[in-house]
Amino acid sequence: MDLKRNYYEDIKLIKSNFIGVWTLILLVFLLFFPLFATSFNTHIASTLFINIIIAIGLNILVGYTGQVSLGHAGFLAIGAYTSVLLVMKAGFPMLLAIPTAGLMAALFGFILGLPALRMEGPYLAIATLGFGIAVEQVLGVWDTVLGLFIRFVNLFINLPARIVFGFRGGGGGGEFVPPLDFGPALEFLKGLTGGRMGLKTPTFAIFDTMDTDIFIGAIRLTPDKQVYYLILFITVILVLFAVNLMKSRIGRAFIAIRDSEIAAETVGVNLTYYRTLAFAISAFYAGMAGALQAHMVQFVAPMQYSLISSITMLAIIVVGGLGSILGSIAGAVLFTILPQFLSGHGDLNVIVTGAIMVVIIMLEPLGIRGIWIRLKVYWMMWPF
C-alpha cells in the first residue's frame, strides 16, 4: 500500500490529498483550540507539544539510527539551564536563548557521540545512562563541583609555581605563592544552578507583553495562550524539519547505519560523521524542549531530569513506534493525555500506563504506528 512508483513520490511531504486535508483540519483545530479551551487544557496541550519535540528527537537517534540512549534527560537539563541562565544572567532575549540552548545541548550530544562510536547495544546504553546521571548530580551539587575544580586548578598551577619559584621574593623568609584569585568569576559562578532547590525561571517575554493580555480584534490572548502559540509554532517547524530530514541523504544514511553498519560503510556512509551527527540533532531537539519546558513551568531543578525521565522518554517512542515521526507523535499523545484522565485515582495511572506498554509491546512490536498500519490495510481491503 506504500508502493512508490518514482523518486518524487517518495520525497513528497504530503503523500495524498486525503492526508493533506486532514493535516489542514488538524492545524486549523490547533490554531483555534486555545480560544475555547480552559487554561488547564491549554497548558496540557503545550506540554504535549514539548513531549512531541522530545520524542521526535529521541526517535531520530534510537529509531532511525539504532543508537540507544538512557541519558536523554541530561540533554533536556542542559537546554533548560542554558536558556534560563542566558536570560537571567546574560540578558539574552528569549527568542535567542531558546535556540542557543538547543545548540549547547547539540554540542554536548556531539561530544557524547564521539566515545559512542566504539560502543553499541547495552554498552552504549550504560554510557548514556552515566551521562544523564552525571548531569543531574553536577547541577544538584554545583557549588561543591566548582570548589573541587578550583582546588584542582590551584593544586596543578601552584605546585609547579612553588617548585620553580620557591618562595615569593626569592631566598629565605619569603611567603608561598598565593592561590589564584578567581574573584568576580567565582562570585558569578557560585550558586549558578540553585543547587537541589533549583531556580525560579523567567516567564516567556518575547515582545515584553507575555505577562499581560493581548487583543487581536475581539480575540483576547492571555499569557498561557501566547505560550501555547509559541510552542505550537516551534513544534510544527521541528516536525517538518524531522520529516524532511528523514527523506534527505542524511536521513537515509541514518537508516542505513541502523540496518547494517557494515553495508552502510561499504556504500560510502561515513559512520563517524553520521553517528555523531545523529547524537547532535537528537540533543538539539531535547535542548529546545528543555528550554521551552523550563520557561513554561517557570521552574527548573535537577530532580526534573532523573533516570525515570529518560526511561519515560524511551517508553514514549517504543510504544508509539520506533523509526516513525507519526509514532513519536502518537506515543507523546498517549503519555501526555492518559495520565490526565487517571490523575484522580492514585497509582492507577502508573498501573494502567504500565499495562498498556506491556500489551502493546507483546501484541504489536511496531507500537501504535503498527496498529495504525493494520487499520489502514483493513479499511483499504474492506469488505473482503
Side-chain angles (χ1 to χ4, degrees):
M1 63 181 297
D2 291 327
L3 177 67
K4 308 294 188 307
R5 289 165 294 187
N6 58 58
Y7 174 71
Y8 294 102
E9 281 191 10
D10 190 35
I11 63 173
K12 281 175 64 176
L13 183 62
I14 305 295
K15 294 185 178 179
S16 68
N17 293 333
F18 179 81
I19 295 176
V21 169
W22 279 105
T23 303
L24 183 62
I25 291 173
L26 176 62
L27 288 176
V28 171
F29 171 76
L30 293 176
L31 281 175
F32 286 96
F33 176 76
L35 303 182
F36 56 83
T38 63
S39 294
F40 176 75
N41 288 332
T42 303
H43 176 80
I44 297 301
S46 300
T47 304
L48 168 61
F49 298 148
I50 291 173
N51 286 339
I52 288 174
I53 295 174
I54 296 171
I56 290 177
L58 187 57
N59 221 337
I60 289 174
L61 181 67
V62 179
Y64 284 102
T65 317
Q67 302 185 91
V68 181
S69 173
L70 284 177
H72 232 59
F75 297 125
L76 210 68
I78 290 171
Y81 276 89
T82 301
S83 181
V84 168
L85 293 175
L86 285 176
V87 173
M88 294 176 62
K89 300 288 185 180
F92 269 48
M94 196 162 291
L95 279 182
L96 181 60
I98 293 173
T100 305
L103 291 175
M104 179 61 75
L107 175 63
F108 276 86
F110 174 77
I111 294 172
L112 181 62
L114 291 176
L117 294 172
R118 294 182 175 273
M119 292 179 283
E120 60 182 16
Y123 302 101
L124 179 58
I126 295 300
T128 53
L129 173 65
F131 167 77
I133 294 175
V135 171
E136 181 194 358
Q137 295 302 318
V138 168
L139 291 173
V141 293
W142 172 255
D143 283 352
T144 304
V145 173
L146 183 64
L148 290 174
F149 174 75
I150 291 173
R151 288 183 183 180
F152 177 83
V153 172
N154 269 318
L155 175 64
F156 283 91
I157 290 181
N158 267 3
L159 186 59
R162 291 181 185 186
I163 295 174
V164 174
F165 300 109
F167 295 97
R168 180 185 288 179
E175 57 184 15
F176 283 106
V177 177
L180 289 178
D181 181 15
F182 290 88
L186 183 59
E187 292 301 319
F188 176 80
L189 292 173
K190 274 185 178 177
L192 195 66
T193 65
R196 298 286 183 194
M197 300 302 292
L199 296 170
K200 187 179 185 309
T201 65
T203 58
F204 280 103
I206 299 174
F207 304 111
D208 295 329
T209 57
M210 295 197 80
D211 55 346
T212 60
D213 294 350
I214 293 178
F215 289 90
I216 303 176
I219 300 175
R220 176 191 175 200
L221 295 182
T222 55
D224 59 323
K225 293 175 182 176
Q226 298 169 45
V227 170
Y228 170 91
Y229 282 117
L230 173 67
I231 298 177
L232 172 63
F233 175 75
I234 294 176
T235 303
V236 171
I237 295 295
L238 291 179
V239 169
L240 290 176
F241 177 79
V243 171
N244 280 297
L245 179 70
M246 289 307 121
K247 296 177 183 295
S248 68
R249 183 179 61 180
I250 295 175
R252 296 180 193 282
F254 288 167
I255 296 171
I257 292 172
R258 177 197 64 189
D259 292 343
S260 172
E261 290 189 359
I262 295 175
E265 197 166 21
T266 302
V267 297
V269 174
N270 187 329
L271 296 185
T272 303
Y273 173 74
Y274 285 107
R275 287 188 69 172
T276 51
L277 182 62
F279 260 100
I281 294 175
S282 181
F284 176 79
Y285 273 71
M288 290 283 289
L292 292 170
Q293 187 182 53
H295 293 297
M296 185 182 74
V297 301
Q298 300 178 34
F299 179 72
V300 61
M303 63 182 178
Q304 294 172 286
Y305 311 104
S306 63
L307 173 61
I308 297 298
S309 300
S310 295
I311 293 176
T312 303
M313 295 175 202
L314 196 58
I316 288 175
I317 61 170
V318 172
V319 170
L322 289 171
S324 165
I325 302 298
L326 179 62
S328 305
I329 297 173
V333 170
L334 177 66
F335 276 75
T336 305
I337 304 298
L338 185 63
Q340 304 306 320
F341 282 109
L342 303 174
S343 58
H345 299 84
D347 293 335
L348 183 63
N349 167 35
V350 180
I351 296 171
V352 172
T353 304
I356 290 175
M357 289 170 55
V358 171
V359 170
I360 288 181
I361 297 303
M362 288 181 64
L363 301 181
E364 182 49 81
L366 294 179
I368 299 175
R369 172 174 168 263
I371 297 173
W372 171 246
I373 292 174
R374 288 175 185 272
L375 287 174
K376 280 202 303 183
V377 171
Y378 174 80
W379 286 111
M380 289 185 70
M381 299 181 67
W382 188 84
F384 304 101

